[in-house]
């Protein structure tokens, strides 16, 4: 990685950490700004570097740094919401794949954001269901899972998708220009 790439990757890792602490309490799955920054990481850094920024964030949390919404440590893998963190890695990758090397139309940006959102929720809800059933011995039904882990949280994340697309439309050309001039 070039120095600029490492700096931007570290910057997004830090932004994701800050986003974890900006939260709105919602039952079961807290609403944070992590999704905004993981999506922007994929859009601006591209699929691989964006996913690396999120992976570094997850690894720092698993190493014990209190960067997650509920703290940190290896035991966090037994938290029902850990699947969303895994989903953030995949979501950044998918968003970056769709957006990064393409024509920057608002439709393309929104498509990338919503594909990333779908990825995050797929991992998050599947992990929540599995950990509740097999580890916590407190199985959750499909309807409560859908209600608490999707319906209550997705409206805010849809707004974050739109915000990400608007920010990406402005930031991606600026970042590309800074790479060309330096």
């Amino acid at each position: 990685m070039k120095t600029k790439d490492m700096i931007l990757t570290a910057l997004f890792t830090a932004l994701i950490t800050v986003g974890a602490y900006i939260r709105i309490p919602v039952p079961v799955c807290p609403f944070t700004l992590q999704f905004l920054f993981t999506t922007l990481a994929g859009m601006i850094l591209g699929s691989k570097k964006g996913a690396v920024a999120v992976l570094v964030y997850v690894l720092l949390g698993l190493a014990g740094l209190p960067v997650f919404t509920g703290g940190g440590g290896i035991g966090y893998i037994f938290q029902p919401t850990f699947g969303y963190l895994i989903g953030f890695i995949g979501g950044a990758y998918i968003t970056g794949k769709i957006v990064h090397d393409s024509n920057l139309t608002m439709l393309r940006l929104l498509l990338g954001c919503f594909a990333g959102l779908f990825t995050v929720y797929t991992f998050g809800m599947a992990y929540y269901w599995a950990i509740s059933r097999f580890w916590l011995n407190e199985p959750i039904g499909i309807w409560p899972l859908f209600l608490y882990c999707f319906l209550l949280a997705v409206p805010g994340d849809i707004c974050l998708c739109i915000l990400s697309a608007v920010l990406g439309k402005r930031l991606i050309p600026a970042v590309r220009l800074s790479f060309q001039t330096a």
Side-chain angles (χ1 to χ4, degrees):
M1 270 185 152
K2 295 179 183 176
T3 304
K4 280 186 180 182
D5 293 335
M6 288 190 289
I7 290 169
L8 283 174
T9 301
L11 173 67
F12 274 99
T13 299
L15 287 171
I16 297 163
T17 301
V18 170
Y21 287 99
I22 302 171
R23 57 187 145 194
I24 298 167
V26 177
V28 182
C29 300
F31 175 76
T32 67
L33 292 185
Q34 289 167 299
F35 176 70
L36 172 69
F37 295 120
T38 59
T39 302
L40 286 172
M43 292 172 98
I44 293 171
L45 301 177
S47 58
K48 292 177 185 172
K49 293 176 204 148
V52 166
V54 183
L55 177 63
V56 168
Y57 165 74
V58 171
L59 292 175
L60 288 172
L62 291 176
L65 294 175
V67 297
F68 300 146
T69 301
I74 193 71
Y76 212 83
I77 61 172
F78 299 112
Q79 295 290 324
T81 56
F82 185 71
Y84 290 95
L85 295 171
I86 297 167
F88 287 150
I89 299 167
Y93 183 84
I94 295 294
T95 300
K97 264 300 191 206
I98 293 171
V99 169
H100 194 257
D101 291 327
S102 64
N103 189 9
L104 283 181
T105 65
M106 190 55 78
L107 181 62
R108 176 67 102 182
L109 293 167
L110 285 170
L111 177 67
C113 292
F114 283 109
L117 180 68
F118 178 78
T119 303
V120 170
Y121 276 89
T122 299
F123 277 94
M125 291 174 64
Y127 194 90
Y128 194 101
W129 179 86
I131 204 82
S132 295
R133 181 171 189 84
F134 299 114
W135 178 255
L136 299 175
N137 262 346
E138 296 174 8
I140 186 169
I142 296 299
W143 171 245
L145 179 72
F146 184 74
L147 174 66
Y148 291 120
C149 296
F150 182 77
L151 283 181
L152 292 176
V154 83
D157 287 337
I158 289 171
C159 292
L160 291 180
C161 279
I162 295 166
L163 178 60
S164 295
V166 169
L167 289 172
K169 185 80 168 157
R170 304 278 309 226
L171 292 173
I172 292 170
V175 170
R176 286 181 184 168
L177 182 63
S178 75
F179 276 107
Q180 291 172 350
T181 59

